[in-house]
Amino acid sequence: MSGRATFLGMPAFPVNAAAAVQDSQLRFNLRKATHTIRGRRASVVAEVPDWAELRAAGRQIKDHTLRNLERYLLRLEEAVTRAGGHVHWAADAREANRIVAGLVRATGETSVVKVKSMATQEIGLNEALAAEGITAYETDLAELIVQLGDDWPSHILVPAIHRNRSEIREIFLEKMAEWGRAAPEGLTDEPRALAEAARLHLRERFLSTKVAISGANFMIAETGTLVVLESEGNGRMCLTLPETLISVVGIEKLLPSWRDLEVFLQLLPRSSTGERMNPYTSTWTGAVEGQEFHLVLLDNGRTGVLADEVGRQALRCIRCSACLNVCPVYERAGGHAYGSVYPGPIGAILTPQLRGTTSDLDASLPYASTLCGACFDVCPVAIDIPEVLVHLRGRVRHPRAERLGMRAAGWVFDRQERLTRAERVAGRLRRFVPRRLPGPLSAWTETRDLPDIPPESFRDWWDRTDGGTR
Amino acid sequence: MRVALFITCVNDTLFPGTGRAVVTLLRRLGCDVEFPRAQTCCGQMHLNTGYPREGRRLARHFLDVFAGYDAVVAPSGSCAATVREQYPRLARAAAPSSAPVRASAAAPVRPPAPGAIADDGSAAFADAVAELVPKVRDLSEFLVDVLGVTDVGAYFPHRVTYHPTCHSLRGLRVGDRPIRLLERVRGLELVPLPAAEECCGFGGTFAVKNPAISAAMCADKARNVTATGAEVLCAADNSCLTHIGGTLSRQRTGVRTMHLAEILAATEGAR
Ligand code: SF4
């Protein structure tokens, strides 16, 4: 059922992106979807007169929490425990998966329903559970499409953004029966018909499954409350119906108090879906009405990120995906090219920090940007993504030819006499520059002409004419 | 007021005409600009490609060369943005190692002597950054904010569209200053560029490291430019213009590219 390929061993970003950009259907789907959400976000953000202050508050609350993370985590643990929940600490993906699998096994069940969650995607929980004979059923509509299609998510908010209606219809007709209730015969690609097919398929699942797994958008330290924002209501079904609820949450999702939540309930929906308020906001504190509740607090590289003074701002991220929707590179490369559950600008700064930069793919991610800054402008918690990209570029290993070239350029720029001489040589050789450049520089002349080299540099003109006065 | 021209290495080497235009324009406005000959490069390429050590060395050189001027004007949004955005970061990154220097009351920190900005780790570097950075301006900022003009007396009877490059727009936040300057140029017909705020896909080494995406972005930009029917594409950064212009030229669109300075320097009779 779940034989999808792994991200590991994927080629570097430029290779993936070059393939994706050729796929005109994919580009059409992505362009349409990102531009629609982008426009909606822009208009609902413009409505809020104090958006800049809200954004500054969001940033400040997150920074404060991260600086005092240990204190607030302990407070959270105490509050959750007091409310009848069980708290587990997981240092990495393997430990988190082991804990969750153990908890599910203890219930005697072999299937679980899932609320859309990035943290469980990050640790590959579904695959880990499958290896233990436990089937995880995604219940978010887009996640369901991805799961049925044996596919990878390509967007944080809309994991199936790369699929259009007719592709979804085909996936439903072909795969739903394998996983449960089959799609109705004669299914059309009308959004309403597709949603109805998913509803019927999932309803059965909700009523029969006894264990649910979720993530959380926020955790409130003072009361031990978890918060999930969603659009479909499927999350609420998972959170309330099953007898056991297991939530896997990154340690950076913490907020000190309910008052802080107010800021984020404004920032997140407007940035994410472009709505003033999301349709469903669920909160729960500990074990509710006979339900058993487990909270798995996930580190998985986060404390390492916290140690980096520049890179740590990535932990402020609330996974709204506004940065994806405005990114011209994401729009053309698609989410899969980033080789991680975190695509787009946030992925380009988070993945290399969580996984390191030893693989070709991870080392290429900080370069998957023109540094145009559109992401920083829309980020509701003011993560300076270009700053972190530049910072991470200073950390990766560079190709030898580039190193030599950069060293030579640095040497020339060190002294104006050297630059003057280099400019004169270029001026003399100007007629010999080929229309097509060799090696890696051919990438430029493939689609663009080169500028003509002038016979005289500016500084030589200045000297000859005494600043244009002669 | 002592005003220095930071020509930038790209303009110096490849686009001396832009530099000459800046000099002509500023002189016409009664501003005598100096050209400190020791200048080279702000370090943008090294900093943005992941070579902070070289970048920092060039930053130090820049601070040395331009120390003491009241204003530094650069006809390049991305170079001005490198100084304004990245130099303070370099100063911050150097801060921890500078702590012991500051802690010693016996050796108070002195202002740097010209040409003697000490090691990157030093407090002197941070002081020089704090001193110089607010004085570095892109051409449109200098004209509108320092000289206080929008009508520079230019004449350019052509249909022009303007691309607000990313670093001018989102780095320096020059806003509508270039548009206000262009609107006052006699004879000039300014046509809006669709999706103007979207990046052209240059991104320095991005164009070479991610050529497929870069070319796809530039193809879209070129399509938007030609859709305006403009004869001239104008921007305040020759790096981006080289990229878009290279594509426009390869596609034989006949659209010319011109730096903002060149249009503002143009007068009746010339050109
Ligand atoms: S980095 Fe900012 S814009 Fe991007 S997903 Fe995170 S919070 Fe949203």
Side-chain angles (χ1 to χ4, degrees), chain A residues 156 317-323 346 379-381 383 385:
Chain A
I156 294 177
C317 176
I318 55 173
R319 311 280 188 262
C320 72
S321 63
C323 57
I346 180 60
C379 177
V381 285
I383 299 171
I385 294 174

Side-chain angles (χ1 to χ4, degrees), chain A residues 33-42 157-158 161 272-274 325:
Chain A
T34 54
H35 282 244
T36 308
I37 314 180
R38 193 191 291 190
R40 239 189 291 151
R41 177 210 161 267
L157 175 73
V158 201
I161 197 166
S272 179
T273 47
N325 298 330

Side-chain angles (χ1 to χ4, degrees), chain B residues 219-234:
Chain B
D220 289 341
K221 182 59 77 181
R223 186 161 359 93
N224 284 324
V225 171
T226 45
T228 64
E231 302 158 62
V232 176
L233 168 69
C234 171

Side-chain angles (χ1 to χ4, degrees), chain A residues 13-15 17-19 21-22 27 31 35 38 309 326 328-329 331-333 364 367-377 384 386-388 390 393-396 398-399 402-407 409-417 419-420 423-424 426 435-436 440-441 443-454 456-463 466-469, chain B residues 5 7-9 11-21 23-24 27 32-41 43 45-52 54 57-58 61 85-86 89 92-93 96 166-167 169-171 173 197-218 220-221 223 239 242-252:
Chain A
F13 180 83
V15 179
V21 83
Q22 300 296 334
R27 270 183 75 180
R31 188 182 157 81
H35 282 244
R38 193 191 291 190
E309 279 182 51
V326 295
V329 176
E331 180 189 324
R332 289 165 182 86
S364 70
Y367 292 92
S369 164
T370 62
L371 307 177
C372 84
C375 48
F376 176 37
D377 266 16
D384 192 340
E387 178 185 12
V388 182
V390 166
R393 288 176 186 187
R395 231 203 242 171
V396 305
H398 303 113
E402 182 190 291
R403 275 203 316 271
L404 293 177
M406 287 288 170
R407 208 177 301 151
W411 183 82
V412 169
F413 289 145
D414 269 344
R415 297 233 206 310
Q416 59 99 356
E417 302 83 22
L419 178 57
T420 305
E423 285 168 344
R424 287 187 191 147
R435 249 176 77 81
R436 306 277 168 149
L441 295 177
W444 179 278
T445 47
E446 194 87 2
T447 56
R448 314 156 186 95
D449 286 341
L450 287 168
D452 292 330
I453 298 175
E456 185 183 48
S457 70
F458 177 81
R459 66 182 63 230
D460 276 348
W461 169 81
W462 181 279
D463 285 352
D466 200 9
T469 57
Chain B
L5 170 63
I7 182 67
T8 80
C9 63
N11 288 327
D12 184 13
T13 309
L14 292 174
F15 304 98
T18 297
R20 292 198 298 268
V23 174
T24 308
R27 266 211 199 112
D32 214 2
V33 61
E34 293 176 41
F35 177 70
R37 212 179 184 296
Q39 64 178 278
T40 56
C41 166
M45 179 177 74
H46 287 96
L47 289 169
N48 283 353
T49 314
Y51 295 81
E54 288 83 351
R57 210 168 62 217
L58 294 172
H61 182 67
E85 292 192 294
Q86 304 231 41
R89 285 182 206 153
R92 245 177 289 141
C166 302
H167 289 99
L169 190 71
R170 287 177 283 263
R173 309 216 173 258
E197 302 195 347
E198 200 160 290
C199 178
C200 73
F202 174 52
T205 40
F206 180 83
V208 176
K209 285 180 182 279
N210 279 286
I213 300 293
S214 171
M217 286 167 70
C218 203
D220 289 341
K221 182 59 77 181
R223 186 161 359 93
S239 310
T242 306
H243 187 232
I244 312 171
T247 304
L248 289 168
S249 153
R250 175 62 57 87
Q251 297 177 352
R252 304 192 187 287

Side-chain angles (χ1 to χ4, degrees), chain A residues 239-266:
Chain A
L239 296 170
T240 49
L241 289 177
E243 291 162 11
T244 303
L245 173 60
I246 304 166
S247 299
V248 183
V249 189
I251 51 175
E252 84 285 12
K253 295 278 156 231
L254 205 56
L255 296 176
S257 71
W258 277 87
R259 283 192 47 179
D260 303 314
L261 183 64
E262 176 250 358
V263 171
F264 292 94
L265 289 185
Q266 297 182 70

Side-chain angles (χ1 to χ4, degrees), chain A residues 3-118:
Chain A
R4 65 187 183 184
T6 153
F7 278 145
L8 296 172
M10 250 176 108
F13 180 83
V15 179
N16 303 332
V21 83
Q22 300 296 334
D23 184 339
S24 53
Q25 178 70 57
L26 174 70
R27 270 183 75 180
F28 178 83
N29 296 353
L30 274 172
R31 188 182 157 81
K32 190 155 176 252
T34 54
H35 282 244
T36 308
I37 314 180
R38 193 191 291 190
R40 239 189 291 151
R41 177 210 161 267
S43 67
V44 297
V45 163
E47 284 175 358
V48 184
D50 60 346
W51 184 258
E53 285 83 0
L54 270 175
R55 185 173 182 247
R59 171 196 175 139
Q60 192 258 324
I61 293 166
K62 280 283 183 181
D63 277 348
H64 167 84
T65 315
L66 289 168
R67 255 199 313 276
N68 301 282
L69 194 57
E70 187 178 333
R71 174 152 61 94
Y72 287 122
L73 280 172
L74 292 175
R75 194 173 292 175
L76 175 86
E77 178 183 35
E78 196 196 305
V80 170
T81 311
R82 211 184 317 120
H86 305 275
V87 178
H88 312 260
W89 300 80
D92 55 22
R94 187 187 301 197
E95 190 175 4
N97 288 333
R98 187 168 47 72
I99 293 169
V100 175
L103 291 170
V104 177
R105 241 185 287 114
T107 65
E109 297 293 318
T110 54
S111 64
V112 299
V113 282
K114 281 189 70 201
V115 186
K116 178 173 165 18
S117 135
M118 294 307 299

Side-chain angles (χ1 to χ4, degrees), chain A residues 351-366:
Chain A
T351 308
Q353 295 200 81
L354 291 176
R355 293 203 302 224
T357 50
T358 43
S359 78
D360 282 353
L361 173 66
D362 294 342
S364 70
L365 288 175

